[in-house]
Amino acid sequence: METEKHSALNAHTPGETSMSLVSPSRSRTDTLAGTVTIAGGADRPLTQKQIDILEGRGINVELAVRMGWRSAGRSGYGETIEIPYYRGGREVNCKTRSIEGEKRFHQVEGGEKCLYNVDAIRDVGDEPLIITEGEMDSMIALQCGYVAVSVPDGAPKDAIGDKQTVKYDYLRDVPPGLKKIILATDGDNAGANLLHDLGIRLGKHRCQWVKYPPGCKDLNDVFKAWGSTGVREIIAVAQYLHIDGLHRLSELPPRPEMAACDIGIAAMKDHLKLRPGDFSVMTGIPSHGKSTFANQLAFNMAKNHGWHICFASFEQEPQTEHRKALRTLYHGRPAYLQGNEDMTAADRWIDEHFSFIVPDEDSNEWFDIAWLKDRMAAAVTRHNAKMIVIDPWNELDHVFNSHEMTLTQYVGSSIKELKRFARRFIVHVMVIAHPAKLQKDKKDGTYPIPSAYDISDSAHWYNKTDQIIVVHRTKANNTLIRVAKSRYHYALGKPGDVELRFDDYTYRYEKTT
């Protein structure tokens, strides 16, 4: 015989296996109505000592006999009984187990592995199905008026998780449409393993688990201490297995309501506002002014709202291009017309409101999403960054296993990570992304206005973002700023086009006259 050991710990887990051809009444009262008498134990009836032992455990012996329980005599491990497994009224397996002393059991070689009392599942209806770790616990549930089955092999020493295995093939008899399953596994480590494995395979959305009172590790213990009333009470308050991400509103922690802030360009007040916690993308043909427009947005948010801005700069050098643009924006005139005191004052202000993520050219690191997120998190915690601009997306090292995911899947996953970062740290994340190569119009030689669907690598750029901004220089050297998407019109503004003129003296976009 194989040994099955159970350590009675405080963790919740299941215990042995049980199953029989019984469908009890729905009256929720102690009754034997609805049981099916099974022939087969008359030639080996339970002995008086076995009856006394089973009754001492709270087992209704009359019900057990009707379900075919019979004596297997006495072994080196004490009194031993046989618990037959039936399918369609035919015995397909049998468990021989000791009922005193050390727990030992074995099953018929080649017997069918199925749930104990599997035929009762057909009568579940709208009632919950109780699944226990052992036959005796399922018997207790039956006596208390529930439809109950038991797993055939007890609980595993280690949880299997979502790995493929034939061990749980017996769950095939549990209908996928069954809405409520109560897992009454033992309250020990092994039972916790079984609870985990069953929840994964049966679906956590429909599985509840039984929490036992102190001093009890299974339904049998509860029945002996408090009778059927106690069993019904703990089953009535069985809790659903935890599923990450599902909450009632009252269970969610409060989140600060972040106000959307005006970007400081009067012509765009109805179309574009920026808010911490959102994720936006800016696109446009190379050299059409994306980075320049992003510089002005960042400057305005710092100047007007006190935001700290972090630039992840992969094309503009902070020491030259960013400094030149921000000095010009700060004083409203080109940097070359500023004196030393002016530049010193501008640089002091820039240091207070801006930080820069700059790859080390001598490093052997991959400058990928993980590398970027670490530095973004540092910008938030060290400098209280409220906006992070990634410029441009295509200059990152996009490292992924092409055997495990496509480029489109990688981009979708990366966007999800950045959106999650924005929400978690309550910071606005803006990505500047180049479109795929566009074809010039054959007649006038102009490029079409790109859309978010034209951004290289994936349509996820349109589907997953909160805001989409297109920057496109027109024939008259004006610039079209198109808000192509705004997920929350009431807060962020509504989609629309605005023609702006870029003043290279002030480095500002202004409304055309």
Side-chain angles (χ1 to χ4, degrees):
M1 293 183 178
E2 297 179 357
T3 303
E4 182 186 50
K5 296 182 179 180
H6 298 273
S7 56
L9 303 178
N10 289 329
H12 171 73
T13 359
E16 3 167 317
T17 63
S18 139
M19 177 171 164
S20 76
L21 188 59
V22 176
S23 175
S25 72
R26 308 295 166 80
S27 63
R28 291 286 188 265
T29 59
D30 292 321
T31 175
L32 299 182
T35 60
V36 178
T37 301
I38 302 295
D43 57 336
R44 279 176 286 163
L46 297 171
T47 67
Q48 186 58 51
K49 184 173 182 180
Q50 292 167 348
I51 290 173
D52 292 341
I53 292 172
L54 292 174
E55 288 183 339
R57 295 189 176 191
I59 300 298
N60 185 309
V61 175
E62 181 182 351
L63 178 59
V65 170
R66 289 187 180 186
M67 295 177 67
W69 291 26
R70 58 204 180 217
S71 175
R74 183 174 178 80
S75 69
Y77 303 99
E79 297 295 331
T80 306
I81 64 172
E82 292 182 352
I83 301 176
Y85 279 52
Y86 295 94
R87 180 187 289 279
R90 182 176 64 86
E91 184 171 332
V92 295
N93 199 352
C94 182
K95 178 180 288 187
T96 301
R97 60 155 296 167
S98 59
I99 57 173
E100 65 176 352
E102 185 179 1
K103 183 182 293 185
R104 297 276 185 144
F105 69 86
H106 71 270
Q107 298 181 41
V108 173
E109 185 176 354
E112 179 185 336
K113 286 298 177 70
C114 60
L115 290 164
Y116 177 73
N117 199 29
V118 65
D119 286 337
I121 294 177
R122 66 193 177 198
D123 296 326
V124 170
D126 295 328
E127 300 294 318
L129 174 67
I130 311 292
I131 300 180
T132 68
E133 188 177 325
E135 296 86 3
M136 290 195 179
D137 287 324
S138 69
M139 184 68 75
I140 293 296
L142 289 168
Q143 293 171 197
C144 295
Y146 296 95
V147 178
V149 298
S150 169
V151 303
D153 296 323
K157 181 180 178 182
D158 298 302
I160 297 173
D162 58 0
K163 296 178 183 177
Q164 293 294 323
T165 176
V166 298
K167 176 177 175 58
Y168 293 107
D169 282 357
Y170 55 77
L171 295 175
R172 64 187 179 277
D173 289 307
V174 180
L178 190 60
K179 292 184 178 179
K180 184 180 289 188
I181 299 169
I182 298 178
L183 305 177
T185 59
D186 285 3
D188 56 18
N189 282 341
N193 294 335
L194 180 60
L195 178 69
H196 175 73
D197 288 351
L198 293 180
I200 289 175
R201 286 161 177 79
L202 294 170
K204 290 184 178 181
H205 64 283
R206 59 175 179 163
C207 288
Q208 296 173 277
W209 64 283
V210 174
K211 184 176 182 180
Y212 301 108
C216 298
K217 75 174 184 65
D218 54 29
L219 292 182
N220 207 164
D221 287 347
V222 176
F223 186 82
K224 287 189 290 184
W226 287 285
S228 59
T229 299
V231 172
R232 293 185 190 116
E233 286 181 356
I234 65 167
I235 289 178
V237 296
Q239 304 172 42
Y240 277 101
L241 292 175
H242 177 69
I243 296 181
D244 291 340
L246 177 65
H247 308 276
R248 291 188 176 91
L249 182 60
S250 59
E251 297 169 340
L252 291 169
R255 284 185 63 84
E257 287 194 25
M258 303 307 297
C261 298
D262 187 270
I263 63 168
I265 301 175
M268 299 201 67
K269 62 183 178 62
D270 293 331
H271 301 290
L272 183 63
K273 295 180 175 66
L274 298 181
R275 181 174 64 177
D278 289 341
F279 176 77
S280 63
V281 61
M282 184 183 296
T283 191
I285 296 169
S287 301
H288 273 230
K290 298 185 297 299
S291 296
T292 305
F293 187 65
N295 283 339
Q296 184 177 348
L297 288 183
F299 172 82
N300 288 354
M301 302 312 289
K303 187 73 172 177
N304 299 336
H305 305 291
W307 283 19
H308 182 98
I309 314 296
C310 178
F311 274 102
S313 270
F314 304 113
E315 284 186 340
Q316 295 187 80
E317 291 187 356
Q319 306 95 313
T320 56
E321 299 305 315
H322 275 297
R323 174 177 284 164
K324 174 185 174 183
L326 293 173
R327 280 176 173 177
T328 302
L329 287 163
Y330 184 76
H331 286 295
R333 63 181 183 275
Y336 65 83
L337 295 178
Q338 299 175 21
N340 290 335
E341 289 186 6
D342 290 335
M343 289 188 287
T344 298
D347 289 350
R348 185 183 303 115
W349 182 85
I350 292 169
D351 261 359
E352 290 176 0
H353 292 87
F354 289 84
S355 56
F356 299 89
I357 297 172
V358 183
D360 184 348
E361 294 180 358
D362 296 325
S363 174
N364 292 322
E365 284 187 280
W366 287 104
F367 306 130
D368 57 7
I369 284 291
W371 176 91
L372 178 62
K373 284 173 56 184
D374 282 345
R375 284 138 188 88
M376 289 166 58
V380 173
T381 55
R382 296 181 185 183
H383 303 302
N384 195 30
K386 288 297 180 187
M387 181 176 179
I388 296 174
V389 181
I390 302 167
D391 181 19
W393 168 259
N394 64 296
E395 287 295 322
L396 274 172
D397 290 325
H398 299 298
V399 182
F400 64 98
N401 189 332
S402 59
H403 297 293
E404 295 180 356
M405 64 170 62
T406 65
L407 179 58
T408 296
Q409 290 170 329
Y410 161 75
V411 172
S413 174
S414 298
I415 293 174
K416 183 185 293 186
E417 288 188 55
L418 293 174
K419 286 187 66 175
R420 187 178 295 138
F421 183 97
R423 290 195 300 269
R424 178 185 176 190
F425 289 98
I426 315 179
V427 57
H428 187 99
V429 175
M430 176 180 287
V431 172
I432 297 178
H434 296 318
K437 188 172 182 179
L438 300 173
Q439 298 297 319
K440 286 184 178 181
D441 187 282
K442 293 181 179 179
K443 293 182 179 179
D444 59 16
T446 62
Y447 286 103
I449 300 173
S451 73
Y453 286 117
D454 293 315
I455 297 176
S456 298
D457 305 331
S458 177
H460 289 306
W461 291 110
Y462 185 88
N463 300 330
K464 294 181 178 291
T465 52
D466 297 312
Q467 293 168 289
I468 297 171
I469 305 160
V470 180
V471 179
H472 188 75
R473 189 169 295 138
T474 62
K475 287 178 64 176
N477 288 327
N478 289 337
T479 298
L480 174 73
I481 306 297
R482 168 170 292 173
V483 178
K485 179 182 178 181
S486 178
R487 191 182 297 276
Y488 310 105
H489 294 185
Y490 70 93
L492 305 179
K494 58 187 178 181
D497 293 352
V498 176
E499 284 273 343
L500 299 177
R501 180 183 64 84
F502 178 67
D503 185 343
D504 58 6
Y505 185 86
T506 63
Y507 264 43
R508 297 172 186 269
Y509 284 89
E510 301 170 347
K511 185 170 177 58
T512 56
T513 56

